[in-house]
Amino acid sequence: MIYKAPSKDIRFALNELAELPAICTLPGYEDCSVELTEAIMEEGAKFAENVLAPINRLGDKGAKWAPDFSVTAAEGFKDAWQQYVEAGWVGLRAPAEFGGQGLPALVAIAAEEMWCSASLAFSLAPLLTLGAIEAINHHASGELKAVYLPRMSSGEWTGTMNLTEPQAGSDLVRSKAVPVGDGSYKISGQKIFITWGEHDMADNIVHLVLARLPDAPAGVKGISLFIVPKFLVNADGSLGARNDVRCVSLEHKLGIHGSPTAVMSFGDDGGAIGYLVGEANKGLSYMFTMMNHARLGVGVEGMAVSERAYQKAVEYARERVQSRAIGSPDAAGVAIIQHPDVRRMLMTMKAQIEAQRALAYYAAAALDRAARDPVASEAARSQALVNFLIPVVKGWNTEQANEITSLAMQIHGGMGYIEETGVAQYCRDARITAIYEGTTGIQALDLIGRKTASEDGATARWLLEEVKVTAGKLAAAGYASLAANLEAAAADAERCVAFILDTFGSRPQLAAAGSVPFLKLMGIVLGGWMMGRAALIARAQQGEEDADAGFLAAKIVTARFYGEHLLPQTSGLAAAIIHGADSVLELDAALF
Protein backbone atom coordinates (compact mmCIF):
# COMPACT_ATOMS: atom_id res chain seq x y z
CA MET A 1 0.00 0.00 0.00
CA ILE A 2 1.34 3.41 -1.00
CA TYR A 3 1.09 6.15 1.63
CA LYS A 4 -0.32 9.44 0.40
CA ALA A 5 0.20 12.45 2.62
CA PRO A 6 -3.21 14.00 3.49
CA SER A 7 -2.03 17.39 2.26
CA LYS A 8 -5.43 19.08 2.08
CA ASP A 9 -6.33 18.02 5.61
CA ILE A 10 -2.95 19.09 6.93
CA ARG A 11 -3.22 22.49 5.23
CA PHE A 12 -6.75 23.01 6.58
CA ALA A 13 -5.73 22.11 10.13
CA LEU A 14 -2.62 24.30 9.95
CA ASN A 15 -4.11 27.42 8.44
CA GLU A 16 -7.69 27.40 9.68
CA LEU A 17 -7.84 25.51 12.98
CA ALA A 18 -4.35 26.18 14.38
CA GLU A 19 -4.19 29.67 12.81
CA LEU A 20 -0.74 29.46 11.26
CA PRO A 21 -0.92 33.02 9.82
CA ALA A 22 -1.14 34.41 13.38
CA ILE A 23 1.70 32.19 14.59
CA CYS A 24 3.92 33.58 11.83
CA THR A 25 3.50 37.09 13.28
CA LEU A 26 5.03 36.14 16.64
CA PRO A 27 8.49 37.56 17.43
CA GLY A 28 11.19 35.35 15.95
CA TYR A 29 8.84 33.69 13.47
CA GLU A 30 8.55 36.57 11.00
CA ASP A 31 10.49 34.65 8.34
CA CYS A 32 7.87 31.91 8.41
CA SER A 33 4.80 32.30 6.21
CA VAL A 34 1.88 30.30 4.86
CA GLU A 35 3.59 30.14 1.47
CA LEU A 36 6.87 28.89 2.94
CA THR A 37 5.02 26.33 5.03
CA GLU A 38 3.13 25.04 2.01
CA ALA A 39 6.42 24.58 0.16
CA ILE A 40 7.85 22.71 3.16
CA MET A 41 4.77 20.48 3.37
CA GLU A 42 4.90 19.74 -0.35
CA GLU A 43 8.53 18.62 -0.18
CA GLY A 44 7.87 16.79 3.07
CA ALA A 45 5.04 14.86 1.46
CA LYS A 46 7.32 13.77 -1.37
CA PHE A 47 9.98 12.63 1.09
CA ALA A 48 7.48 10.73 3.23
CA GLU A 49 5.81 9.07 0.25
CA ASN A 50 8.88 8.25 -1.83
CA VAL A 51 11.66 7.65 0.70
CA LEU A 52 10.19 6.70 4.08
CA ALA A 53 7.00 4.83 3.20
CA PRO A 54 8.81 2.22 1.05
CA ILE A 55 11.12 1.23 3.94
CA ASN A 56 8.34 0.80 6.51
CA ARG A 57 7.80 -2.92 5.78
CA LEU A 58 11.56 -3.46 5.56
CA GLY A 59 11.91 -1.91 8.99
CA ASP A 60 9.47 -4.43 10.39
CA LYS A 61 12.18 -7.07 9.94
CA GLY A 62 14.14 -5.26 12.63
CA ALA A 63 17.56 -3.83 13.44
CA LYS A 64 20.40 -6.30 14.12
CA TRP A 65 22.59 -6.53 17.24
CA ALA A 66 26.07 -8.09 17.08
CA PRO A 67 28.28 -9.54 19.85
CA ASP A 68 30.69 -6.62 19.46
CA PHE A 69 27.83 -4.44 20.85
CA SER A 70 27.15 -2.80 17.46
CA VAL A 71 23.70 -2.38 15.94
CA THR A 72 22.95 -2.28 12.23
CA ALA A 73 19.82 -0.36 11.26
CA ALA A 74 17.09 -2.08 9.29
CA GLU A 75 17.44 -2.32 5.53
CA GLY A 76 17.11 1.07 3.82
CA PHE A 77 17.16 3.08 7.05
CA LYS A 78 20.75 4.33 6.87
CA ASP A 79 20.33 5.59 3.32
CA ALA A 80 17.00 7.22 4.24
CA TRP A 81 18.65 8.94 7.21
CA GLN A 82 21.39 10.36 5.00
CA GLN A 83 18.77 11.75 2.62
CA TYR A 84 16.85 13.11 5.61
CA VAL A 85 19.97 14.89 6.89
CA GLU A 86 20.98 16.23 3.47
CA ALA A 87 17.51 17.69 2.97
CA GLY A 88 17.75 19.54 6.31
CA TRP A 89 14.68 17.97 7.86
CA VAL A 90 16.31 17.41 11.26
CA GLY A 91 16.74 21.13 11.82
CA LEU A 92 13.17 22.30 11.23
CA ARG A 93 12.54 23.02 14.91
CA ALA A 94 16.18 23.20 16.04
CA PRO A 95 17.50 26.62 17.20
CA ALA A 96 18.74 28.83 14.39
CA GLU A 97 21.86 29.90 16.34
CA PHE A 98 23.12 26.33 16.14
CA GLY A 99 22.34 25.71 12.49
CA GLY A 100 18.68 24.80 12.74
CA GLN A 101 15.85 26.57 10.97
CA GLY A 102 14.05 27.69 14.14
CA LEU A 103 10.59 27.22 12.63
CA PRO A 104 7.45 27.16 14.78
CA ALA A 105 6.62 23.92 16.57
CA LEU A 106 3.34 23.98 14.63
CA VAL A 107 5.14 23.66 11.29
CA ALA A 108 7.49 20.98 12.60
CA ILE A 109 4.62 18.94 14.07
CA ALA A 110 2.86 18.89 10.70
CA ALA A 111 6.00 17.57 9.02
CA GLU A 112 6.51 15.05 11.81
CA GLU A 113 3.02 13.68 11.20
CA MET A 114 4.08 12.65 7.71
CA TRP A 115 7.28 10.99 8.95
CA CYS A 116 5.30 9.07 11.57
CA SER A 117 2.69 7.90 9.08
CA ALA A 118 5.29 6.87 6.53
CA SER A 119 7.52 4.98 8.99
CA LEU A 120 6.92 5.28 12.72
CA ALA A 121 10.09 3.36 13.60
CA PHE A 122 12.26 5.71 11.54
CA SER A 123 10.55 8.84 12.88
CA LEU A 124 11.57 8.04 16.45
CA ALA A 125 15.23 8.84 15.73
CA PRO A 126 14.62 12.52 14.86
CA LEU A 127 11.93 12.82 17.56
CA LEU A 128 14.34 11.80 20.33
CA THR A 129 17.12 13.91 18.81
CA LEU A 130 14.90 17.00 18.85
CA GLY A 131 13.95 16.30 22.45
CA ALA A 132 17.61 16.07 23.43
CA ILE A 133 18.32 19.31 21.56
CA GLU A 134 15.54 21.03 23.54
CA ALA A 135 16.92 19.86 26.89
CA ILE A 136 20.52 20.80 26.08
CA ASN A 137 19.54 24.18 24.63
CA HIS A 138 17.46 25.10 27.68
CA HIS A 139 19.73 23.86 30.45
CA ALA A 140 23.33 23.12 29.39
CA SER A 141 26.28 25.51 29.54
CA GLY A 142 27.28 27.55 26.52
CA GLU A 143 30.36 25.37 26.10
CA LEU A 144 28.32 22.14 25.92
CA LYS A 145 25.83 23.75 23.55
CA ALA A 146 28.63 24.79 21.21
CA VAL A 147 30.07 21.27 21.16
CA TYR A 148 26.89 19.26 20.66
CA LEU A 149 24.01 21.31 19.26
CA PRO A 150 25.37 22.17 15.78
CA ARG A 151 25.95 18.52 14.83
CA MET A 152 22.73 17.37 16.47
CA SER A 153 20.76 20.08 14.68
CA SER A 154 22.26 18.98 11.36
CA GLY A 155 21.54 15.30 12.03
CA GLU A 156 25.21 14.30 11.94
CA TRP A 157 24.70 13.13 15.53
CA THR A 158 21.52 11.75 17.09
CA GLY A 159 20.27 12.00 20.67
CA THR A 160 18.59 9.76 23.24
CA MET A 161 17.02 10.00 26.68
CA ASN A 162 18.09 7.48 29.35
CA LEU A 163 15.72 7.30 32.34
CA THR A 164 14.45 3.82 33.08
CA GLU A 165 16.57 1.23 34.88
CA PRO A 166 15.96 -2.51 35.19
CA GLN A 167 14.70 -2.38 38.77
CA ALA A 168 12.22 0.53 38.57
CA GLY A 169 11.35 3.91 37.13
CA SER A 170 13.14 7.25 37.32
CA ASP A 171 12.29 7.74 41.01
CA LEU A 172 14.68 4.90 41.90
CA VAL A 173 17.66 5.82 39.72
CA ARG A 174 20.78 3.94 40.86
CA SER A 175 23.21 4.93 38.12
CA LYS A 176 26.18 6.74 39.63
CA ALA A 177 28.17 9.82 38.61
CA VAL A 178 31.57 10.37 40.26
CA PRO A 179 33.50 13.64 39.73
CA VAL A 180 36.82 13.15 37.95
CA GLY A 181 38.32 16.53 38.82
CA ASP A 182 38.57 18.05 35.34
CA GLY A 183 34.90 19.03 35.18
CA SER A 184 33.80 15.66 33.86
CA TYR A 185 32.24 12.68 35.63
CA LYS A 186 32.49 8.92 35.44
CA ILE A 187 29.07 7.41 34.83
CA SER A 188 28.18 3.82 35.69
CA GLY A 189 24.91 1.92 35.57
CA GLN A 190 22.43 0.32 33.21
CA LYS A 191 19.43 1.79 31.38
CA ILE A 192 16.67 -0.05 29.55
CA PHE A 193 14.12 0.84 26.86
CA ILE A 194 16.47 3.29 25.15
CA THR A 195 14.99 4.16 21.77
CA TRP A 196 17.67 4.32 19.06
CA GLY A 197 20.26 3.83 21.81
CA GLU A 198 22.71 2.27 19.34
CA HIS A 199 22.81 2.26 15.53
CA ASP A 200 25.02 2.89 12.51
CA MET A 201 23.10 5.74 10.88
CA ALA A 202 24.98 8.67 12.45
CA ASP A 203 28.61 9.33 13.42
CA ASN A 204 27.87 9.88 17.09
CA ILE A 205 25.04 9.33 19.59
CA VAL A 206 24.54 11.86 22.41
CA HIS A 207 22.97 10.15 25.41
CA LEU A 208 21.20 12.22 28.06
CA VAL A 209 21.54 10.12 31.21
CA LEU A 210 20.01 10.45 34.66
CA ALA A 211 22.43 9.52 37.47
CA ARG A 212 23.20 10.30 41.10
CA LEU A 213 26.18 12.17 42.51
CA PRO A 214 27.84 10.70 45.62
CA ASP A 215 26.33 13.30 47.97
CA ALA A 216 22.93 13.45 46.29
CA PRO A 217 19.81 13.45 48.49
CA ALA A 218 17.47 10.48 48.27
CA GLY A 219 14.53 10.32 45.88
CA VAL A 220 13.80 12.42 42.83
CA LYS A 221 15.49 15.47 44.37
CA GLY A 222 18.88 13.78 44.04
CA ILE A 223 18.92 13.06 40.31
CA SER A 224 21.27 14.90 37.94
CA LEU A 225 21.43 14.96 34.14
CA PHE A 226 24.57 14.20 32.12
CA ILE A 227 25.62 14.26 28.48
CA VAL A 228 27.37 10.96 27.74
CA PRO A 229 28.46 10.71 24.08
CA LYS A 230 29.12 7.44 22.30
CA PHE A 231 32.40 8.97 21.06
CA LEU A 232 34.24 11.63 23.01
CA VAL A 233 34.73 14.95 21.23
CA ASN A 234 38.19 16.45 20.79
CA ALA A 235 38.95 20.14 21.33
CA ASP A 236 38.87 20.77 17.58
CA GLY A 237 35.40 19.21 17.30
CA SER A 238 36.55 15.95 15.76
CA LEU A 239 35.53 12.61 17.21
CA GLY A 240 37.95 11.01 19.64
CA ALA A 241 38.02 7.74 21.57
CA ARG A 242 35.03 5.45 22.01
CA ASN A 243 33.39 6.14 25.35
CA ASP A 244 32.70 3.39 27.88
CA VAL A 245 29.12 2.98 26.64
CA ARG A 246 27.75 -0.15 25.02
CA CYS A 247 24.49 -1.68 23.90
CA VAL A 248 24.39 -5.10 25.57
CA SER A 249 21.17 -6.24 23.89
CA LEU A 250 18.08 -5.19 21.96
CA GLU A 251 14.58 -5.79 23.25
CA HIS A 252 12.34 -8.23 21.37
CA LYS A 253 9.18 -6.19 20.88
CA LEU A 254 5.63 -6.43 19.59
CA GLY A 255 6.13 -3.64 17.05
CA ILE A 256 8.27 -0.71 15.83
CA HIS A 257 10.92 -3.31 15.01
CA GLY A 258 12.86 -0.88 12.83
CA SER A 259 13.58 1.25 15.90
CA PRO A 260 16.23 -0.49 18.03
CA THR A 261 15.21 -0.42 21.69
CA ALA A 262 18.49 -0.85 23.51
CA VAL A 263 19.68 -2.02 26.89
CA MET A 264 22.56 0.39 27.53
CA SER A 265 25.42 -0.26 29.93
CA PHE A 266 27.61 2.61 31.13
CA GLY A 267 31.00 2.18 32.76
CA ASP A 268 31.71 -1.54 32.37
CA ASP A 269 35.39 -0.73 31.82
CA GLY A 270 35.96 1.88 34.50
CA GLY A 271 33.41 4.59 33.85
CA ALA A 272 31.81 6.40 30.93
CA ILE A 273 32.82 10.06 30.66
CA GLY A 274 29.88 12.39 31.13
CA TYR A 275 29.27 16.11 31.49
CA LEU A 276 26.82 17.69 33.93
CA VAL A 277 23.90 19.52 32.35
CA GLY A 278 22.92 22.60 34.35
CA GLU A 279 22.88 22.32 38.13
CA ALA A 280 23.31 19.18 40.19
CA ASN A 281 20.19 17.38 41.45
CA LYS A 282 17.85 19.04 38.94
CA GLY A 283 18.09 16.37 36.29
CA LEU A 284 14.53 15.11 36.38
CA SER A 285 13.05 18.58 35.89
CA TYR A 286 15.49 19.16 33.03
CA MET A 287 14.49 15.89 31.42
CA PHE A 288 10.87 16.98 31.54
CA THR A 289 11.79 19.75 29.09
CA MET A 290 12.21 17.11 26.43
CA MET A 291 9.48 14.85 27.78
CA ASN A 292 6.73 17.45 27.26
CA HIS A 293 7.78 17.90 23.64
CA ALA A 294 8.09 14.14 23.29
CA ARG A 295 4.60 13.57 24.71
CA LEU A 296 3.08 15.94 22.19
CA GLY A 297 5.10 14.14 19.52
CA VAL A 298 3.82 10.76 20.69
CA GLY A 299 0.26 12.05 20.45
CA VAL A 300 1.02 12.91 16.84
CA GLU A 301 2.47 9.41 16.38
CA GLY A 302 -0.80 7.81 17.48
CA MET A 303 -2.82 9.95 15.09
CA ALA A 304 -0.33 9.42 12.26
CA VAL A 305 -0.34 5.61 12.51
CA SER A 306 -4.13 5.80 12.58
CA GLU A 307 -4.02 7.83 9.35
CA ARG A 308 -1.83 5.21 7.68
CA ALA A 309 -4.16 2.41 8.81
CA TYR A 310 -7.20 4.39 7.63
CA GLN A 311 -5.72 4.84 4.17
CA LYS A 312 -5.01 1.12 3.99
CA ALA A 313 -8.58 0.31 5.04
CA VAL A 314 -10.10 2.68 2.47
CA GLU A 315 -7.96 1.17 -0.27
CA TYR A 316 -9.01 -2.37 0.66
CA ALA A 317 -12.70 -1.43 1.06
CA ARG A 318 -12.74 0.02 -2.44
CA GLU A 319 -11.13 -3.07 -3.97
CA ARG A 320 -12.71 -5.93 -2.02
CA VAL A 321 -15.95 -7.14 -3.62
CA GLN A 322 -18.25 -9.18 -1.40
CA SER A 323 -22.04 -9.64 -1.19
CA ARG A 324 -24.80 -7.68 -2.85
CA ALA A 325 -25.64 -4.18 -1.71
CA ILE A 326 -28.11 -4.29 1.18
CA GLY A 327 -31.62 -3.67 -0.13
CA SER A 328 -30.62 -4.08 -3.78
CA PRO A 329 -32.36 -6.62 -6.06
CA ASP A 330 -29.12 -7.03 -8.00
CA ALA A 331 -27.33 -10.18 -6.83
CA ALA A 332 -23.95 -8.99 -8.08
CA GLY A 333 -21.36 -8.31 -5.42
CA VAL A 334 -20.25 -4.79 -4.64
CA ALA A 335 -17.16 -3.26 -3.11
CA ILE A 336 -17.48 -3.51 0.66
CA ILE A 337 -17.20 0.26 0.97
CA GLN A 338 -20.87 0.22 -0.08
CA HIS A 339 -21.90 -1.73 3.04
CA PRO A 340 -23.24 0.44 5.90
CA ASP A 341 -21.19 -1.11 8.70
CA VAL A 342 -17.95 -0.77 6.75
CA ARG A 343 -18.82 2.87 6.12
CA ARG A 344 -19.52 3.29 9.86
CA MET A 345 -16.08 1.93 10.69
CA LEU A 346 -14.38 4.13 8.10
CA MET A 347 -16.22 7.21 9.34
CA THR A 348 -15.32 6.35 12.94
CA MET A 349 -11.68 6.29 11.88
CA LYS A 350 -11.83 9.39 9.68
CA ALA A 351 -13.71 11.57 12.19
CA GLN A 352 -11.37 10.80 15.07
CA ILE A 353 -8.22 11.29 12.99
CA GLU A 354 -9.38 14.71 11.81
CA ALA A 355 -10.30 15.75 15.35
CA GLN A 356 -6.99 14.49 16.73
CA ARG A 357 -4.95 16.24 14.06
CA ALA A 358 -6.73 19.52 14.77
CA LEU A 359 -6.26 19.20 18.54
CA ALA A 360 -2.58 18.28 18.23
CA TYR A 361 -1.90 21.21 15.90
CA TYR A 362 -3.86 23.53 18.19
CA ALA A 363 -1.65 22.40 21.10
CA ALA A 364 1.49 22.99 19.02
CA ALA A 365 0.30 26.51 18.19
CA ALA A 366 -0.25 27.13 21.91
CA LEU A 367 3.32 25.93 22.50
CA ASP A 368 4.54 28.58 20.05
CA ARG A 369 2.43 31.29 21.65
CA ALA A 370 3.70 30.36 25.10
CA ALA A 371 7.28 30.69 23.91
CA ARG A 372 6.95 33.82 21.78
CA ASP A 373 3.91 35.91 22.70
CA PRO A 374 5.24 39.36 23.74
CA VAL A 375 2.34 39.87 26.16
CA ALA A 376 3.31 38.06 29.35
CA SER A 377 -0.27 37.33 30.42
CA GLU A 378 -1.10 35.82 27.03
CA ALA A 379 2.06 33.73 27.05
CA ALA A 380 1.16 32.45 30.53
CA ARG A 381 -2.35 31.52 29.43
CA SER A 382 -0.94 29.69 26.42
CA GLN A 383 1.47 27.79 28.66
CA ALA A 384 -1.42 26.74 30.90
CA LEU A 385 -3.26 25.62 27.79
CA VAL A 386 -0.24 23.58 26.63
CA ASN A 387 0.06 22.00 30.06
CA PHE A 388 -3.58 20.94 30.01
CA LEU A 389 -3.69 19.75 26.41
CA ILE A 390 -0.51 17.65 26.30
CA PRO A 391 -1.81 14.77 28.47
CA VAL A 392 -5.08 14.83 26.54
CA VAL A 393 -3.40 14.76 23.13
CA LYS A 394 -0.89 12.13 24.24
CA GLY A 395 -3.42 9.91 26.03
CA TRP A 396 -6.51 10.21 23.83
CA ASN A 397 -4.76 10.05 20.46
CA THR A 398 -2.75 6.98 21.41
CA GLU A 399 -5.53 5.06 23.15
CA GLN A 400 -7.78 5.62 20.16
CA ALA A 401 -4.96 4.56 17.84
CA ASN A 402 -5.43 1.07 19.26
CA GLU A 403 -9.10 1.18 18.33
CA ILE A 404 -8.60 2.82 14.94
CA THR A 405 -5.89 0.43 13.77
CA SER A 406 -8.01 -2.46 15.04
CA LEU A 407 -10.92 -1.20 12.95
CA ALA A 408 -8.62 -1.14 9.93
CA MET A 409 -7.86 -4.82 10.54
CA GLN A 410 -11.57 -5.56 11.01
CA ILE A 411 -12.38 -4.03 7.63
CA HIS A 412 -9.81 -6.37 6.07
CA GLY A 413 -11.48 -9.36 7.73
CA GLY A 414 -9.36 -12.47 7.91
CA MET A 415 -6.87 -11.03 5.44
CA GLY A 416 -6.05 -8.32 7.95
CA TYR A 417 -4.83 -10.94 10.42
CA ILE A 418 -2.26 -12.12 7.90
CA GLU A 419 1.05 -10.28 8.16
CA GLU A 420 1.57 -10.12 4.40
CA THR A 421 -1.44 -7.82 4.08
CA GLY A 422 0.40 -5.14 6.05
CA VAL A 423 -2.35 -3.79 8.29
CA ALA A 424 -1.24 -5.92 11.27
CA GLN A 425 1.97 -3.91 11.45
CA TYR A 426 -0.01 -0.74 12.15
CA CYS A 427 -1.79 -2.44 15.07
CA ARG A 428 1.52 -3.66 16.48
CA ASP A 429 3.31 -0.35 15.96
CA ALA A 430 0.46 1.70 17.45
CA ARG A 431 0.33 -0.30 20.69
CA ILE A 432 3.48 1.21 22.21
CA THR A 433 2.29 4.79 21.80
CA ALA A 434 -0.12 4.52 24.74
CA ILE A 435 2.71 3.15 26.92
CA TYR A 436 5.97 5.02 26.39
CA GLU A 437 6.63 8.60 27.49
CA GLY A 438 4.17 7.95 30.32
CA THR A 439 1.29 5.47 30.17
CA THR A 440 -2.28 6.69 29.77
CA GLY A 441 -2.80 6.25 33.51
CA ILE A 442 0.13 8.56 34.23
CA GLN A 443 -1.18 11.13 31.76
CA ALA A 444 -4.61 10.94 33.36
CA LEU A 445 -3.29 11.47 36.90
CA ASP A 446 -1.30 14.44 35.62
CA LEU A 447 -4.46 15.80 34.00
CA ILE A 448 -6.65 15.63 37.11
CA GLY A 449 -3.92 16.72 39.52
CA ARG A 450 -1.36 19.15 38.17
CA LYS A 451 -3.53 20.36 35.29
CA THR A 452 -7.02 20.55 36.82
CA ALA A 453 -7.13 20.45 40.64
CA SER A 454 -3.97 22.48 41.21
CA GLU A 455 -5.38 25.47 39.34
CA ASP A 456 -8.96 25.01 40.53
CA GLY A 457 -10.08 23.98 37.06
CA ALA A 458 -9.34 27.36 35.49
CA THR A 459 -7.99 26.12 32.15
CA ALA A 460 -10.55 23.33 31.89
CA ARG A 461 -13.39 25.78 32.46
CA TRP A 462 -11.94 28.29 30.00
CA LEU A 463 -11.77 25.60 27.33
CA LEU A 464 -15.30 24.42 28.02
CA GLU A 465 -16.59 27.98 27.72
CA GLU A 466 -14.97 28.13 24.28
CA VAL A 467 -16.65 24.83 23.41
CA LYS A 468 -20.05 26.26 24.37
CA VAL A 469 -19.43 29.39 22.29
CA THR A 470 -18.78 27.18 19.26
CA ALA A 471 -21.94 25.17 20.04
CA GLY A 472 -23.90 28.41 19.98
CA LYS A 473 -22.45 29.36 16.60
CA LEU A 474 -23.33 25.94 15.23
CA ALA A 475 -26.90 26.31 16.40
CA ALA A 476 -27.15 29.72 14.75
CA ALA A 477 -25.75 28.27 11.52
CA GLY A 478 -28.44 25.58 11.43
CA TYR A 479 -26.33 22.63 12.57
CA ALA A 480 -28.80 21.71 15.29
CA SER A 481 -27.70 18.11 15.86
CA LEU A 482 -24.00 18.88 16.16
CA ALA A 483 -24.71 21.93 18.34
CA ALA A 484 -26.92 19.98 20.74
CA ASN A 485 -24.49 17.09 21.07
CA LEU A 486 -21.53 19.42 21.62
CA GLU A 487 -23.38 21.42 24.25
CA ALA A 488 -24.47 18.25 26.07
CA ALA A 489 -20.91 16.89 26.00
CA ALA A 490 -19.57 20.16 27.41
CA ALA A 491 -22.10 19.93 30.23
CA ASP A 492 -20.94 16.37 30.98
CA ALA A 493 -17.36 17.62 31.11
CA GLU A 494 -18.28 20.48 33.44
CA ARG A 495 -19.92 18.06 35.87
CA CYS A 496 -16.81 15.88 35.83
CA VAL A 497 -14.50 18.83 36.45
CA ALA A 498 -16.65 19.80 39.43
CA PHE A 499 -16.48 16.22 40.75
CA ILE A 500 -12.69 16.17 40.48
CA LEU A 501 -12.38 19.50 42.27
CA ASP A 502 -14.75 18.31 45.02
CA THR A 503 -12.97 15.01 45.65
CA PHE A 504 -9.28 15.48 44.78
CA GLY A 505 -8.37 17.21 48.02
CA SER A 506 -10.34 15.08 50.47
CA ARG A 507 -10.65 11.70 48.70
CA PRO A 508 -8.15 11.71 45.83
CA GLN A 509 -8.67 8.02 45.12
CA LEU A 510 -12.22 8.76 43.94
CA ALA A 511 -10.95 11.26 41.39
CA ALA A 512 -8.11 8.93 40.38
CA ALA A 513 -10.49 6.01 39.81
CA GLY A 514 -12.10 7.90 36.93
CA SER A 515 -9.02 9.74 35.68
CA VAL A 516 -8.56 7.75 32.46
CA PRO A 517 -12.27 7.99 31.55
CA PHE A 518 -11.98 11.74 32.27
CA LEU A 519 -9.01 12.04 29.93
CA LYS A 520 -10.96 10.22 27.21
CA LEU A 521 -14.01 12.40 27.85
CA MET A 522 -11.96 15.58 27.49
CA GLY A 523 -10.42 14.24 24.28
CA ILE A 524 -13.86 13.55 22.84
CA VAL A 525 -15.23 16.95 23.88
CA LEU A 526 -12.25 18.97 22.68
CA GLY A 527 -12.13 16.91 19.48
CA GLY A 528 -15.80 17.75 18.98
CA TRP A 529 -14.98 21.42 19.50
CA MET A 530 -12.38 21.21 16.73
CA MET A 531 -14.84 19.43 14.44
CA GLY A 532 -17.48 22.07 15.14
CA ARG A 533 -15.01 24.81 14.28
CA ALA A 534 -14.08 22.91 11.12
CA ALA A 535 -17.73 22.71 10.05
CA LEU A 536 -18.23 26.44 10.52
CA ILE A 537 -15.07 27.29 8.58
CA ALA A 538 -15.96 24.87 5.79
CA ARG A 539 -19.42 26.38 5.47
CA ALA A 540 -17.97 29.89 5.26
CA GLN A 541 -15.53 28.79 2.56
CA GLN A 542 -18.18 27.08 0.42
CA GLY A 543 -19.18 30.42 -1.04
CA GLU A 544 -15.68 31.30 -2.21
CA GLU A 545 -14.96 31.32 -5.93
CA ASP A 546 -12.22 28.67 -5.91
CA ALA A 547 -13.75 26.50 -3.18
CA ASP A 548 -13.06 22.76 -3.21
CA ALA A 549 -16.72 21.75 -2.93
CA GLY A 550 -16.17 18.05 -2.29
CA PHE A 551 -13.50 18.59 0.36
CA LEU A 552 -15.57 21.18 2.25
CA ALA A 553 -18.74 19.08 2.08
CA ALA A 554 -16.80 16.15 3.51
CA LYS A 555 -15.64 18.32 6.42
CA ILE A 556 -19.23 19.15 7.31
CA VAL A 557 -20.50 15.56 7.01
CA THR A 558 -17.59 14.24 9.06
CA ALA A 559 -18.26 16.80 11.79
CA ARG A 560 -21.92 15.76 11.87
CA PHE A 561 -20.90 12.09 12.16
CA TYR A 562 -18.55 12.96 15.02
CA GLY A 563 -21.37 14.75 16.80
CA GLU A 564 -23.87 11.94 16.39
CA HIS A 565 -21.61 8.93 16.98
CA LEU A 566 -18.75 10.05 19.23
CA LEU A 567 -19.93 12.97 21.35
CA PRO A 568 -22.79 10.92 22.93
CA GLN A 569 -20.15 8.69 24.53
CA THR A 570 -19.48 11.42 27.08
CA SER A 571 -22.71 10.73 29.00
CA GLY A 572 -21.63 7.17 29.78
CA LEU A 573 -18.12 8.24 30.67
CA ALA A 574 -19.44 10.97 32.96
CA ALA A 575 -21.70 8.48 34.75
CA ALA A 576 -18.74 6.17 35.36
CA ILE A 577 -16.51 9.03 36.57
CA ILE A 578 -19.02 10.54 38.99
CA HIS A 579 -20.97 7.49 40.19
CA GLY A 580 -18.61 4.58 39.58
CA ALA A 581 -15.54 5.38 41.64
CA ASP A 582 -16.56 3.39 44.72
CA SER A 583 -16.96 0.14 42.76
CA VAL A 584 -13.42 0.54 41.37
CA LEU A 585 -12.03 0.62 44.91
CA GLU A 586 -14.41 -1.63 46.86
CA LEU A 587 -13.09 -5.11 46.06
CA ASP A 588 -10.33 -6.34 48.34
CA ALA A 589 -7.06 -6.69 46.48
CA ALA A 590 -6.78 -10.33 47.54
CA LEU A 591 -10.00 -11.15 45.68
CA PHE A 592 -8.81 -10.18 42.23
Side-chain angles (χ1 to χ4, degrees), residues 120-253:
L120 179 59
F122 178 93
S123 73
L124 298 180
L127 175 69
L128 269 296
T129 300
L130 282 168
I133 288 170
E134 289 282 347
I136 293 170
N137 190 43
H138 278 84
H139 305 296
S141 66
E143 181 181 359
L144 288 176
K145 291 180 188 180
V147 171
Y148 292 99
L149 289 186
R151 287 183 173 86
M152 294 176 73
S153 297
S154 70
E156 294 174 74
W157 301 348
T158 60
T160 71
M161 54 195 297
N162 292 247
L163 292 82
T164 308
E165 300 188 0
Q167 74 281 355
S170 57
D171 58 333
L172 291 177
V173 166
R174 296 179 184 173
S175 295
K176 298 178 181 179
V178 179
V180 174
D182 61 355
S184 67
Y185 297 77
K186 283 194 174 183
I187 312 297
S188 59
Q190 191 174 94
K191 300 287 185 177
I192 60 173
F193 304 151
I194 310 306
T195 300
W196 285 99
E198 178 60 39
H199 59 83
D200 63 342
M201 297 198 307
D203 294 336
N204 203 3
I205 302 173
V206 181
H207 300 288
L208 289 185
V209 182
L210 291 179
R212 291 185 181 280
L213 292 166
D215 58 350
V220 297
K221 294 181 179 180
I223 301 173
S224 298
L225 181 63
F226 299 86
I227 289 175
V228 185
K230 175 180 176 179
F231 288 96
L232 300 175
V233 183
N234 296 322
D236 62 359
S238 63
L239 293 182
R242 176 69 185 260
N243 206 354
D244 188 8
V245 180
R246 61 184 60 167
C247 170
V248 295
S249 68
L250 294 181
E251 303 290 359
H252 299 278
K253 304 173 296 187

Side-chain angles (χ1 to χ4, degrees), residues 51-75:
V51 178
L52 296 185
I55 66 171
N56 193 48
R57 290 293 298 277
L58 296 172
D60 202 35
K61 297 177 181 179
K64 303 298 182 185
W65 179 87
D68 65 354
F69 310 114
S70 65
V71 173
T72 303
E75 182 182 351

Side-chain angles (χ1 to χ4, degrees), residues 29 93 103-110 112 293 296 364-365 367-368:
Y29 291 151
R93 188 155 41 108
L103 289 169
L106 174 58
V107 175
I109 284 289
E112 287 165 20
H293 285 82
L296 178 58
L367 195 65
D368 288 321

Side-chain angles (χ1 to χ4, degrees), residues 1 47-62 73-84 115 117-123 196 201 257-259 308 425 429:
M1 177 259 177
F47 189 84
E49 293 165 1
N50 300 325
V51 178
L52 296 185
I55 66 171
N56 193 48
R57 290 293 298 277
L58 296 172
D60 202 35
K61 297 177 181 179
E75 182 182 351
F77 274 48
K78 185 173 183 178
D79 179 62
W81 181 260
Q82 293 308 311
Q83 293 184 59
Y84 189 83
W115 316 146
S117 285
S119 177
L120 179 59
F122 178 93
S123 73
W196 285 99
M201 297 198 307
H257 294 146
S259 169
R308 184 76 184 267
Q425 182 183 352
D429 285 356

